[in-house]
Amino acid sequence: DLDAAAEIQQSLLPRRFTLSDSLRFAWEFVPCDNIGGDIFNVFPLGPHHVGLYMLDVSGHGVASSLVAHSVYNFMHYQRSTLIDRSGGTIDVVPPQTVLSRLNDEFPFTKFQKFFTIFYMTIDLRDGRARYGNAGHPAPWHIPAAGSMAELPERGPIIGLAGLPPVPPGELFLAPGDKLLAVSDGLADSRDAKGEAFGEERVADIAAANAREPVDVLVAALRRAADDFRQ
């Protein structure tokens, strides 16, 4: 049953690696059990935008996976959550508003779970990227020219009431820029001695592969983590 559930979870991940002539992406998915609470996707969002998210539900196993699946359904099948048609045109809902709606829909009291999520919309016409980060590890912006830097805006996790809203974040992606998002499972993975892989290693490997194609960068992170954990 767990193997079958793992296949279902894998089926929710992206199937295409290109959505336009101007955007490429790559990914690795390595759950620590058969199934887990991490999930992500990249998808068209109206005629001119792409949406992407990565989320991590607290805990591991079946319960976390079911909550992740529920969030997936909310993001993909309640399109009014992500797309605004109220003005007679199609526009994207600001990421911080989407995360506020998720917080209303998934209170801790509902599933006894909370989760972190990073959500971004990218305008393919000019590279404008708006994002909201609810407690997720800060993604890295790796520019084609210049030094990589973490995206600075970050708010509280999803599921806890009474906390301040997630602040809005924005940047412009130029040709050749990359964005690297990871789950905390990468930095938290440990070797036989109990030492954590650590965020510093993630940053060092990303910096060493900053000028490589995005699939090469992601594969380098996977190999380094596998070598470290043996």
Side-chain angles (χ1 to χ4, degrees), residues 180 182 186 197 201-203 205-206 209 216-226:
L180 174 65
V182 299
L186 178 59
F197 189 70
R201 282 190 178 91
V202 175
I205 295 163
N209 291 272
V216 175
L217 167 60
V218 172
L221 283 167
R222 169 68 179 273
R223 286 195 306 272
D226 285 347

Side-chain angles (χ1 to χ4, degrees), residues 25 33-34 55-56 59 64-65 67 72 79 103 115 119 125 143 148 164-165 174 190 193 200 203 215 226:
F25 64 95
D33 295 317
N34 298 65
L55 69 96
D56 180 7
S64 297
S65 176
V67 174
Y72 172 92
R79 299 299 280 180
N103 200 54
F115 61 90
Y119 174 58
R125 295 168 294 186
M148 57 184 279
R190 298 180 181 274
K193 298 177 182 179
E200 186 175 344
D215 56 335
D226 285 347

Side-chain angles (χ1 to χ4, degrees), residues 12-23:
L12 304 180
L13 303 179
R15 288 301 176 197
R16 294 182 294 168
F17 289 87
T18 178
L19 295 177
S20 76
D21 292 337
S22 58
L23 177 65

Side-chain angles (χ1 to χ4, degrees), residues 4-175:
E7 290 184 12
I8 292 172
Q9 187 174 38
Q10 290 272 359
S11 74
L12 304 180
L13 303 179
R15 288 301 176 197
R16 294 182 294 168
F17 289 87
T18 178
L19 295 177
S20 76
D21 292 337
S22 58
L23 177 65
R24 301 286 185 274
F25 64 95
W27 54 265
E28 293 275 359
F29 180 65
V30 188
C32 64
D33 295 317
N34 298 65
I35 55 177
D38 294 24
I39 201 166
F40 56 90
N41 220 311
V42 183
F43 50 94
L45 197 59
H48 302 299
H49 293 80
V50 164
L52 61 94
Y53 65 84
M54 177 177 287
L55 69 96
D56 180 7
V57 181
S58 58
H60 304 286
V62 175
S64 297
S65 176
L66 287 172
V67 174
H69 197 166
S70 297
V71 179
Y72 172 92
N73 288 335
F74 186 82
M75 295 289 284
H76 289 272
Y77 297 112
Q78 298 190 35
R79 299 299 280 180
S80 61
T81 301
L82 307 182
I83 296 179
D84 181 7
R85 301 175 185 271
S86 61
T89 59
I90 298 176
D91 197 5
V92 294
V93 176
Q96 68 272 19
T97 302
V98 173
L99 298 187
S100 176
R101 292 172 179 175
L102 282 172
N103 200 54
D104 293 339
E105 184 69 19
F106 293 93
F108 181 79
T109 53
K110 188 174 185 179
F111 296 111
Q112 303 301 302
K113 295 284 184 182
F114 56 83
F115 61 90
T116 68
I117 181 171
F118 170 77
Y119 174 58
M120 173 177 277
T121 64
I122 302 173
D123 191 327
L124 298 175
R125 295 168 294 186
D126 59 9
R128 183 190 184 198
R130 295 185 289 173
Y131 69 91
N133 186 350
H136 201 76
W140 290 90
H141 176 215
I142 308 175
S147 302
M148 57 184 279
E150 290 183 309
L151 299 188
E153 300 297 344
R154 191 165 180 253
I157 59 179
I158 300 296
L160 302 182
L163 297 179
V166 172
E170 182 175 311
L171 70 156
F172 281 85
L173 298 173

